[in-house]
Amino acid sequence: MKNSLSSLQPTEVWSHFEKLCAIPRPSGHLEKVTRYVADFGRSLGLETQMDAVGNVLIRKPATPGMENRRPVVLQAHLDMVPQNDSHVPHNFEIDPICPYVDGEWVKAQGTTLGADNGIGLSSICAVLESKTLRHGPIEALFTQDEETGMTGAKGLTPGFLKGEILLNTDSEQENEIYVGCAGGVNIKATFRYRDEPVDLGPDEAYVSYALTISGLKGGHSGIDIHLERGNANKLLFHFLKEAVRNHKVRLSSVSGGNMRNAIPREATATVVLPLQEEAALLSSVETYAQEMSAEYTRVEENLSFQAEKVDMPLTWIPAPVQDDLINAIVACHDGVLRRVPGAPDMIETSSNLAIVQSAKDEINVLFLARSSNEKMKMYLVSMIESVFALAGAKVETTGNYPGWQSDLYSPFLQLAKKVHVDTLGVEPQVMIIHAGLECGIIGEKYPDMEMISFGPTLRHPHSPDEKVEIASVGRFWKFLTALLENIPEKG
């Protein structure tokens, strides 16, 4: 294992990625990386702009003899998903990512790596910096907060871009060219109530425990949703339902998950119960842990369910609200809902029960629903909304973004496939990805722009297991640069 990436090929990409890892850039905190990219463009003497929402646009003129090629937009997002192992203290707003080489992969020490979309971002910087690459006019577009709602893409204004072709670098499997993606929408269910003082009664002793599910793999709620990994929120609430029924448990607080597009890896509930039920509860925890381990034996090797005695809380959730919350979460849909009819290897519609978080006098439950079929997306929204409305929660949707579908017979797609074969000797698969890409939103603003998405091989983005295959980065770079050299002439 070695920490330096300086010896990896292509050095022009890896050197930029190593610098990028030193710049904190979690979603919502992009001031430093935005300034870094803008300063980089200006240091090269290139036209550099920033729009009202913080997107950075850098224009590089064509190399001599290539001025008549169609102008190209190279696009990547600036932010990364902040996830770390519970035993690894990391403040994503100030601490750098610590990448290292592990065999054929680059990983990070206990955190997300940020190769999503940092490798694409780094490759674009390498194109801007190159003095040898032949290309037509290039616009490099770096967008804000893709991971938390595609803020940058939504904030683009018509006319900001001049390019006719967009190459999105946010895909995560080499030898695949993506021409479509799922749309998505956030669903938020809110239970409001008045916290009740813990009423222990005069005749019985009580104890309090923190029940924690941890050690799950989590992952990207689009790309990894078909892997049937455990959802910490779902698993915890299945146990809470039985604990309320069998051990007279009262729920005081709950916290599970922290990102709408990451499968939750950990969840904790603080509960109060009669002392006489303590031994039975601890026995149930042990039994449930064994059952989960057996159920997920090939999927979640490090799954853990623990009960830790804690100080008695001052308040708990009113019993009717507690019961409605538990029943709704147990009943709601999570995971794959439907695969593409006629194409069972492709996921069409899914949901991620991403966050359950109690605060003073309210509990918020957040989902991200995805589908490449708009009707099915809204059908799923209606399903989840109905469950929580029946439970007495207020339900609202936000951040709706469209799916994307390019022309499967476009001349540019055919060119890209040919360049891929000529450059790498492999016929690429033309795919639709279940994750969300910014192409659909940008395409609404620039309907005549042709778009494809491609990238190197990443595994398990949005989790601390994220890694990028070193050799695939070289092949990605080779294809990207060859494609730029072969962009056709205008009109």
Side-chain angles (χ1 to χ4, degrees):
M1 183 179 81
K2 56 183 179 179
N3 294 335
S4 175
L5 309 184
S6 59
S7 63
L8 301 180
Q9 298 291 332
T11 56
E12 53 266 64
V13 176
W14 287 109
S15 62
H16 281 290
F17 184 67
E18 192 162 35
K19 293 174 185 175
L20 189 63
C21 287
I23 305 169
R25 54 188 182 95
S27 302
H29 301 276
L30 301 182
E31 300 83 4
K32 293 178 182 177
V33 72
T34 301
R35 185 168 59 250
Y36 170 81
V37 170
D39 288 347
F40 173 73
R42 296 186 185 104
S43 74
L44 296 173
L46 300 177
E47 178 187 348
T48 301
Q49 301 179 32
M50 188 181 303
D51 67 10
V53 297
N55 298 316
V56 178
L57 183 66
I58 302 173
R59 289 193 171 96
K60 184 180 183 183
T63 54
M66 304 279 281
E67 294 86 355
N68 199 40
R69 301 299 177 100
R70 296 178 67 190
V72 171
V73 179
L74 299 177
Q75 191 260 319
H77 61 81
L78 293 166
D79 59 322
M80 64 173 287
V81 170
Q83 295 278 292
N84 57 292
D85 288 326
S86 57
H87 64 277
V88 177
H90 193 91
N91 185 339
F92 282 91
E93 295 180 29
I94 60 174
D95 295 336
I97 300 300
C98 298
Y100 66 93
V101 177
D102 184 9
E104 299 175 353
W105 301 86
V106 171
K107 303 176 181 178
Q109 295 179 6
T111 71
T112 36
L113 174 62
D116 172 14
N117 187 209
I119 294 292
L121 193 162
S122 300
S123 69
I124 296 173
C125 288
V127 168
L128 294 174
E129 194 175 44
S130 175
K131 298 184 184 305
T132 60
L133 175 65
R134 298 180 70 248
H135 57 78
I138 286 175
E139 293 179 313
L141 175 64
F142 304 98
T143 49
Q144 294 275 318
D145 286 330
E146 185 267 354
E147 301 289 8
T148 53
M150 304 195 181
T151 306
K154 289 179 179 178
L156 280 175
T157 56
F160 188 58
L161 303 176
K162 307 300 182 184
E164 298 178 6
I165 295 169
L166 183 137
L167 305 182
N168 172 279
T169 62
D170 195 20
S171 298
E172 290 151 359
Q173 178 60 53
E174 68 170 327
N175 299 330
E176 295 180 354
I177 295 176
Y178 290 88
V179 296
C181 71
V185 61
N186 302 320
I187 309 166
K188 181 180 179 182
T190 302
F191 293 84
R192 291 193 172 90
Y193 53 89
R194 288 188 180 276
D195 281 325
E196 293 180 348
V198 172
D199 181 10
L200 301 182
D203 301 323
E204 194 167 17
Y206 287 80
V207 291
S208 180
Y209 275 87
L211 306 176
T212 301
I213 288 181
S214 62
L216 300 176
K217 291 179 179 177
H220 192 297
S221 69
I223 295 172
D224 293 329
I225 199 70
H226 67 289
L227 298 178
E228 305 295 341
R229 292 177 172 176
N231 180 308
N233 290 328
K234 267 287 191 180
L235 294 176
L236 179 61
F237 273 82
H238 273 289
F239 180 82
L240 288 175
K241 185 175 176 67
E242 298 304 314
V244 169
R245 175 186 298 157
N246 298 330
H247 306 304
K248 302 178 183 178
V249 158
R250 291 294 303 272
L251 180 62
S252 174
S253 64
V254 61
S255 178
N258 65 351
M259 292 289 292
R260 77 194 225 297
N261 54 3
I263 301 169
R265 303 164 48 247
E266 299 180 355
T268 297
T270 301
V271 299
V272 177
L273 67 152
L275 178 60
Q276 66 183 23
E277 293 288 340
E278 180 180 27
L281 175 75
L282 295 178
S283 177
S284 293
V285 167
E286 183 176 350
T287 298
Y288 190 60
Q290 293 171 352
E291 292 172 348
M292 286 192 298
S293 293
E295 181 178 350
Y296 290 95
T297 182
R298 298 181 183 275
V299 182
E300 300 285 5
E301 299 86 354
N302 298 314
L303 187 155
S304 171
F305 186 36
Q306 300 289 330
E308 179 183 3
K309 187 175 286 188
V310 295
D311 293 337
M312 187 66 62
L314 298 177
T315 62
W316 57 27
I317 298 166
V321 176
Q322 162 193 282
D323 294 344
D324 288 340
L325 170 71
I326 291 172
N327 286 327
I329 290 179
V330 169
C332 72
H333 183 271
D334 173 73
V336 175
L337 179 65
R338 193 169 86 153
R339 297 174 183 267
V340 175
D345 291 338
M346 299 176 65
I347 306 302
E348 180 204 77
T349 307
S350 73
S351 63
N352 179 40
L353 172 57
I355 298 172
V356 183
Q357 183 68 56
S358 60
K360 181 174 173 56
D361 295 337
E362 74 174 30
I363 298 170
N364 291 305
V365 183
L366 183 64
F367 295 81
L368 175 56
R370 302 179 189 265
S371 184
S372 53
N373 180 319
E374 187 66 21
K375 288 185 177 179
M376 283 301 299
K377 183 174 75 175
M378 300 319 297
Y379 172 74
L380 178 56
V381 169
S382 181
M383 285 176 60
I384 294 172
E385 179 183 47
S386 297
V387 170
F388 282 89
L390 286 170
K394 177 185 177 182
V395 184
E396 56 186 340
T397 59
T398 59
N400 190 18
Y401 60 89
W404 161 55
Q405 177 66 66
S406 280
D407 179 7
L408 293 175
Y409 302 100
S410 76
F412 178 69
L413 176 60
Q414 305 315 309
L415 171 67
K417 291 167 62 179
K418 181 179 184 304
V419 171
H420 196 282
V421 173
D422 292 346
T423 305
L424 300 177
V426 177
E427 178 80 26
Q429 290 185 282
V430 177
M431 304 285 289
I432 295 174
I433 194 171
H434 190 58
L437 295 173
E438 292 159 292
C439 299
I441 296 171
I442 297 172
E444 285 189 328
K445 300 172 186 292
Y446 295 87
D448 296 327
M449 191 178 289
E450 294 185 80
M451 304 180 185
I452 61 172
S453 178
F454 56 95
T457 296
L458 275 66
R459 291 288 181 265
H460 317 309
H462 300 190
S463 84
D465 295 326
E466 181 185 1
K467 59 184 180 179
V468 58
E469 186 182 31
I470 296 167
S472 74
V473 174
R475 292 187 286 268
F476 161 68
W477 173 248
K478 191 174 182 180
F479 173 53
L480 172 62
T481 53
L483 191 55
L484 290 174
E485 290 179 348
N486 284 276
I487 295 295
E489 294 185 352
K490 299 176 184 177

